[in-house]
Amino acid sequence: MLLRVRAAVAQLAAGLGAQPPAEPRGGGAGAGPGRGSPPPAAFCRPAFLQLTPEELRRADDHTGRAVQSPRDSRGRLPWSTGYAEVINAGKSQHNEDQACCEVVFVEQRPSPRGSLAPREGSRELDGGRKGFYFHYWALFDGHAGSGAAVMASERLHLHICEQLRDLVEILQDPSPPPICLPHDTKTGSADPTQVSHTEDHGEAPNDAVPRFHLEKAVSHESLVVGAIENAFKHMPAASLCPQDEQIERERASQHLAGGCCALAAIYLMGKFYVANAGDSRAIIIRNGEIIPMSREFTPETERQRLQFLALLRPELLGKEFTHLEFPRRIQPKELGKKVLYRDQNMNGWAYKKIEEDDLKFPLIFGEGKKARMMATIGVTRGLGDHDLKVFSSNIHIKPFLSCFPEVRVYDLTQYEHCPDDVLVLGTDGLWDVTNDQEVAAVVMEVLTSYEPNDPCRYTMVAQELVVRSRGVLKERGWRLANDKLGSGDDISVFVIPLGGPGNYT
Amino acid sequence: MLLRVRAAVAQLAAGLGAQPPAEPRGGGAGAGPGRGSPPPAAFCRPAFLQLTPEELRRADDHTGRAVQSPRDSRGRLPWSTGYAEVINAGKSQHNEDQACCEVVFVEQRPSPRGSLAPREGSRELDGGRKGFYFHYWALFDGHAGSGAAVMASERLHLHICEQLRDLVEILQDPSPPPICLPHDTKTGSADPTQVSHTEDHGEAPNDAVPRFHLEKAVSHESLVVGAIENAFKHMPAASLCPQDEQIERERASQHLAGGCCALAAIYLMGKFYVANAGDSRAIIIRNGEIIPMSREFTPETERQRLQFLALLRPELLGKEFTHLEFPRRIQPKELGKKVLYRDQNMNGWAYKKIEEDDLKFPLIFGEGKKARMMATIGVTRGLGDHDLKVFSSNIHIKPFLSCFPEVRVYDLTQYEHCPDDVLVLGTDGLWDVTNDQEVAAVVMEVLTSYEPNDPCRYTMVAQELVVRSRGVLKERGWRLANDKLGSGDDISVFVIPLGGPGNYT
């Protein structure tokens, strides 16, 4: 079993700009293992696949579309997690999905008053390092290039680690998190015993008397959620207007191409935190029951947010788009007619008289998988896409995209999980052709044909999910068992056993 | 049984400004029955209560807090709907809740090319009037005066009727609604047989070729939802920047005081549409199961919308507020310390270093029933509040308030309802002290003690719900059976039988 525990401390704390990729990725050309600047967005596959150059070529073949999984024993993932992937049927040169699976050690910041950069060998000096581990699985579905997905798969867990470092003591202390940390202490190095609620509550007689004396309870869980949210925000590929020049320098130096959806599952202190920004999807299958652990962020699901922004910032529309939605494009000859529309406040539809402005292209247009924002992009959250513009225009898409994930929490301790209970993460290549119920059926069908303690069984599930969604190559393309079209997209799947923490580490 | 069918056509179409209140309200002084301008916000109770002046005085008595319901037979509401209300324990001079129950006829617009104003007696001239009925129940929970609630209870159903008039033929035609109505026809008077989808699809050769040839399916149901949404928007008390001068004149002439939450249930063609803007609440109790039919809109539930608006329009904060949320007010002495916060994108919390700007009062502050926006208001959707400002400042609250309801649809034909299945509408005076499960228990308990065909049984439920939420006056105030504090707020409840359409009309 490959338990790649990593002390992420040194990798990030010395400054993001100078950091190498977390791990050499894939075995192919261009994915150099050097410790210098990362190569710009070369084709690579997840390191845990340990592909040889020959295997990498096979993985990159659109014709064969061979399913890739970790090797039997050497490449086994934490908790015997299952993983499988397959390249698209030709829609892009390479597989633009990326995956990452790590066990990360979050070390408390070592120096209360000194520099944030760790001293060389500081870990060795600390006899008992203070910190905790989290398990991490993530899928990144790239578009318009693989740069953002590769970068995100190398970095997101490190950013999460960095955010959590501030919370090492707080999360391990059962008392409520302090609302205010002491003045002269660097965040995270605070000694909670020194943090007095009473002191912070006390109002100096000269202070303006506040109108309320309330104090909101903040849970440990919501601190982890906040840490994950901020980790996404601080990714080089996330920030729209980076306040941190270092981040901006890194972005420029890496020539990040394209963007990516990000779906990450973090296991920490008995709870799963599933963070999603984009149209990948996670579900838990527990005793045959389906529990959605994410929702998709698309022009349709985020219509009202996008229309609201467009209404308040019409200059972002470049005089080419209208914030109103119409069921189809309005023709100039329809000026003055009454046509169905809806605005940022409406869920229903009503008729309005068409004016000149309504002839512009609608900000949100199309339905289902064909829904697009600004006629360009079908996902509205994720990382990257800084340079994405509306076709043959100078209108930027990025201001409408959000890098923030929705984080859902699942408490693993609230239920006695059996070996057949799993968390499935999949990119949209899976879900486009295989729905929740079908995925659950495959999970149960495959798992029952393997012994509960067989460490390969979750990989077998992942492979079967990928194969069933890809289909088989026939004369009329890739076809499913029911002869419908298989997914021509990249497909990546994690199958994570929920009985994991006790039985599979 | 009082079936006050009203042809709302004449009342609205001739212009909102000149309209009298829909019905003289209550029997008390000031609620004159004249056909001139409505009296400005005098104390009144729903017309269907048919209170005598003496009864009105009793209903207005904070000490006795007598429960009011329609009289036995004369005042019976459609479907034998139950209703009960009680005044607050002294928090405002009068009961600021209002209620309305109507059966409204929606008549197709009579004149395709003429004026929108109906000719005198036009209904008589039409032998077979084209149209349909809808049933309507609504609660309005006023604050800071009763003007908005009184006006809304008189007008909202008329505005809904007005919006639906455009749809009379379309809703009665089983084919999909036309996306575009003909050019030279006034809305609603369109003859759907003249509306050609093919014609609208056709692209003139000279038109710019659209990038997509999609056409989104729009359901009849979503047209009704859109009509209800727009009815709220077009209420005099709703518009922030009224484009319609008539509406603005009316608002000015009526001296609308205060604001109100609005919760309305519309039964139309086999479906219930429950529209909610505020913190009233509706649930269906069906075979003992609870189905929520609304959610509350408060500073807590709408935090992210409000913070997003404040971020994009900082001038609305008048330099007094910060869009960030903190768990408590920050003290000047905490400058430079790290304190928990969250912004418009976050659901979790994180620490940030306090800067000068963070010392401003948070836009959203407090928890639960004490949560306030701009330290002023505890609901964030509704009607009115045009003149509401932050205490001792010139900062307007209204730009942050939304008049748009969330509309949930319940298809009555999908389930065989028994006489014990009901829809309960209640103002927050009910829900503050009685939760969904307790309401369901009272419903079942009371209904089983009456014959299924007893028309009084729903009124008995409504009364019991109000009495149990008000409690009994003891030495230490109004107390519930468990000795906890009863609701000191106005309480209003409708109990609508879902077996209604067939059995109770």
Side-chain angles (χ1 to χ4, degrees), chain A residues 306-346:
Chain A
L306 301 168
Q307 286 185 311
F308 187 45
L309 175 59
L311 182 75
L312 293 178
R313 288 267 188 277
E315 68 275 14
L316 297 176
L317 299 175
K319 297 183 182 168
E320 294 289 332
F321 294 90
T322 165
H323 79 282
L324 297 181
E325 186 187 12
F326 298 97
R328 61 168 169 73
R329 184 75 194 270
I330 308 302
Q331 303 296 311
K333 65 180 177 184
E334 291 171 327
L335 260 176
K337 288 190 183 182
K338 294 236 179 185
V339 173
L340 286 174
Y341 83 102
R342 54 181 174 176
D343 67 20
Q344 71 287 346
N345 289 309
M346 299 170 72

Side-chain angles (χ1 to χ4, degrees), chain B residues 78-79 81 100-101 135-139 263-265 267 272 425 494 496:
Chain B
W79 301 3
T81 293
C100 182
C101 177
H135 287 64
Y136 171 89
W137 301 258
L139 297 177
L263 170 63
Y267 172 76
F272 261 107
L425 313 182
F494 274 122
I496 307 164

Side-chain angles (χ1 to χ4, degrees), chain B residues 36-55:
Chain B
S37 274
F43 174 59
C44 63
R45 300 314 309 148
F48 60 72
L49 286 179
Q50 301 179 288
L51 300 184
T52 64
E54 171 53 29
E55 287 167 333

Side-chain angles (χ1 to χ4, degrees), chain A residues 212 214, chain B residues 326-329 361-367 370-372:
Chain A
F212 296 88
L214 304 167
Chain B
F326 298 97
R328 61 168 168 74
R329 184 74 193 270
F361 204 86
L363 175 68
I364 310 294
F365 196 68
E367 210 165 1
K370 290 182 176 167
R372 292 286 179 276

Side-chain angles (χ1 to χ4, degrees), chain A residues 32-289:
Chain A
R35 306 299 287 172
S37 273
F43 175 58
C44 63
R45 300 313 310 147
F48 60 72
L49 287 179
Q50 300 178 288
L51 300 184
T52 65
E54 171 53 29
E55 288 167 332
L56 189 67
R57 269 189 294 277
R58 276 193 65 219
D60 198 23
D61 170 22
H62 298 97
T63 322
R65 297 187 80 189
V67 175
Q68 309 297 321
S69 277
R71 290 146 188 259
D72 262 3
S73 54
R74 276 186 298 142
R76 191 161 303 148
L77 296 172
W79 300 2
S80 298
T81 293
Y83 174 79
E85 63 164 54
V86 73
I87 194 171
N88 64 77
K91 73 167 208 170
S92 64
Q93 188 187 353
H94 298 299
N95 186 340
E96 293 184 343
D97 282 2
Q98 289 295 341
C100 182
C101 178
E102 299 281 349
V103 180
V104 182
F105 182 69
V106 182
E107 186 174 0
Q108 189 178 4
R109 262 180 237 287
S111 53
R113 287 164 190 275
S115 152
L116 279 178
R119 285 155 289 146
E120 194 66 35
S122 62
R123 268 175 292 148
E124 282 72 15
L125 290 176
D126 292 352
R129 301 190 293 163
K130 271 197 158 178
F132 50 70
Y133 289 94
F134 69 85
H135 287 65
Y136 171 89
W137 301 257
L139 296 176
F140 304 93
D141 182 352
H143 53 256
S146 53
V150 169
M151 188 281 302
S153 68
E154 288 167 350
R155 296 296 174 88
L156 182 58
H157 57 292
L158 304 179
H159 281 270
I160 292 172
C161 177
E162 182 65 15
Q163 294 291 325
L164 288 173
R165 290 187 68 201
D166 293 341
L167 307 173
V168 166
E169 292 215 22
I170 292 168
L171 292 181
Q172 291 176 321
D173 181 348
S175 56
I179 285 176
C180 177
L181 301 176
H183 185 231
D184 55 352
T185 314
K186 298 293 178 196
T187 316
S189 57
D191 178 356
T193 60
Q194 297 295 312
V195 177
S196 157
H197 277 241
T198 321
E199 175 199 301
D200 292 325
H201 279 206
E203 285 145 20
N206 292 337
D207 283 349
V209 178
R211 298 186 201 188
F212 296 88
H213 298 265
L214 304 167
E215 181 165 316
K216 208 158 189 165
V218 173
S219 66
H220 289 90
E221 182 180 300
S222 69
L223 290 191
V224 178
V225 171
I228 295 169
E229 290 171 330
N230 274 333
F232 274 70
K233 184 170 100 180
H234 288 117
M235 286 285 288
S239 51
L240 173 60
C241 309
Q243 295 150 347
D244 186 335
E245 288 182 14
Q246 196 173 40
I247 290 177
E248 182 54 17
R249 272 203 310 277
E250 179 176 49
R251 187 173 83 74
S253 72
Q254 289 201 357
H255 309 295
L256 279 186
C260 70
C261 300
L263 171 63
I266 293 104
Y267 172 75
L268 174 63
M269 297 179 182
K271 289 177 179 172
F272 260 107
Y273 298 81
V274 179
N276 185 46
D279 65 355
S280 295
R281 182 168 173 80
I283 63 172
I284 280 174
I285 298 151
R286 187 183 72 185
N287 198 18
E289 182 196 358

